[in-house]
């Protein structure tokens, strides 16, 4: 195989990793979340804009506010996951660009002065970061259960301001009993990759 990454790490991050649907009650610590962030913050985004923001739902009160906005099939696993992360795009990410892009601080106003442009950039680049976040959860030896089955407007009203949009909700923890659905098929290389 031509990959440099150890096969066991490849399995942990990709081949054996799946969306978890049940979790044990073992807590996910702040230290684990910090380690995940400290790894995935290096994933590339355009102009280093880094628009992903993460809301960690730990308290019973916050979980009670979230659950009514989850699709019915997602409510039980969200209710019992040790940690729930709401991943959101910050549409005002450009305010951080002078610090994140110090060699080109004028990018803030040159490219991102208009809200529709920022929203499009924030959504794309925060989605990239959300994917890195899921891989980081796996790298920490935890399982991720990313979901898009929810009432976005309801979550945004409950947890966010008008400058942020929810991208996904991710349950996080050690996989529980019967955590995995059967592995679904993937497209073949020739169905995806075209050389021109």
């Amino acid at each position: 195989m031509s990959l440099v990454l150890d096969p066991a790490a490849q399995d942990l991050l990709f081949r054996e990793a799946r969306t978890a649907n049940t979790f044990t009650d073992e807590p996910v610590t702040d230290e684990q979340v910090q380690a995940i962030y400290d790894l995935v913050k290096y994933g590339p985004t355009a102009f280093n804009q880094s628009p992903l923001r993460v809301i960690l739902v730990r308290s019973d009160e916050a979980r009670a506010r979230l659950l009514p906005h989850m699709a019915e099939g997602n409510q039980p696993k969200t209710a019992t996951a040790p940690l729930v992360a709401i991943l959101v795009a910050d549409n005002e990410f450009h305010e951080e660009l002078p610090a994140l892009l110090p060699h080109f601080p004028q990018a803030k106003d040159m490219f991102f002065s208009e809200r529709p442009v920022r929203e499009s950039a924030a959504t794309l680049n925060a989605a990239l970061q959300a994917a890195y976040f899921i891989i980081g959860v796996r790298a920490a030896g935890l399982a991720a259960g990313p979901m898009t089955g929810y009432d976005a407007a309801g979550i945004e009203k409950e947890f966010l301001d008008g400058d942020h949009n929810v991208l996904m909700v991710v349950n996080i923890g050690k996989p529980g009993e019967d955590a995995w659905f059967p592995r679904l098929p993937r497209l073949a290389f020739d169905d995806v990759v075209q050389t021109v």
Side-chain angles (χ1 to χ4, degrees):
M1 187 171 297
S2 60
L3 297 177
V4 174
L5 189 66
D6 177 84
Q10 295 172 37
D11 288 343
L12 177 71
L13 299 179
F14 293 100
R15 283 191 289 264
E16 298 299 324
R18 301 234 215 43
T19 295
N21 294 287
T22 67
F23 298 89
T24 69
D25 58 3
E26 182 178 331
V28 176
T29 67
D30 290 338
E31 291 78 17
Q32 287 171 302
V33 176
Q34 180 75 52
I36 291 165
Y37 176 73
D38 286 343
L39 175 65
V40 304
K41 68 183 178 184
Y42 294 110
T45 57
F47 292 93
N48 197 33
Q49 60 190 250
S50 306
L52 182 72
R53 305 295 179 260
V54 181
I55 299 169
L56 297 177
V57 178
R58 285 198 184 275
S59 72
D60 292 339
E61 179 271 332
R63 199 174 300 244
R65 290 169 46 211
L66 175 61
L67 285 175
H69 304 293
M70 300 303 296
E72 186 176 342
N74 290 334
Q75 288 178 2
K77 53 191 169 186
T78 304
T80 58
L83 181 63
V84 181
I86 303 172
L87 304 187
V88 305
D90 181 359
N91 295 311
E92 297 298 314
F93 69 86
H94 69 306
E95 296 296 343
E96 304 292 339
L97 281 182
L100 293 173
L101 201 64
H103 65 281
F104 188 26
Q106 62 271 34
K108 173 189 172 199
D109 298 315
M110 185 179 293
F111 296 105
F112 301 109
S113 61
E114 296 181 19
R115 177 69 180 233
V117 172
R118 287 198 309 275
E119 287 179 357
S120 178
T123 298
L124 172 63
N125 287 279
L128 281 172
Q129 289 185 285
Y132 304 147
F133 182 84
I134 292 167
I135 299 300
V137 168
R138 293 171 175 179
L142 300 169
M147 301 168 291
T148 56
Y150 51 74
D151 171 18
I155 292 177
E156 288 168 7
K157 183 177 180 183
E158 191 69 44
F159 290 94
L160 304 173
D161 57 30
D163 290 330
H164 296 80
N165 298 101
V166 64
L167 296 173
M168 68 180 68
V169 177
V170 183
N171 293 325
I172 303 169
K174 293 285 187 180
E177 189 174 338
D178 298 321
W180 321 116
F181 294 144
R183 169 75 73 194
L184 293 173
R186 298 299 193 264
L187 294 173
F189 179 86
D190 291 338
D191 294 331
V192 175
V193 178
Q194 178 183 15
T195 303
V196 294

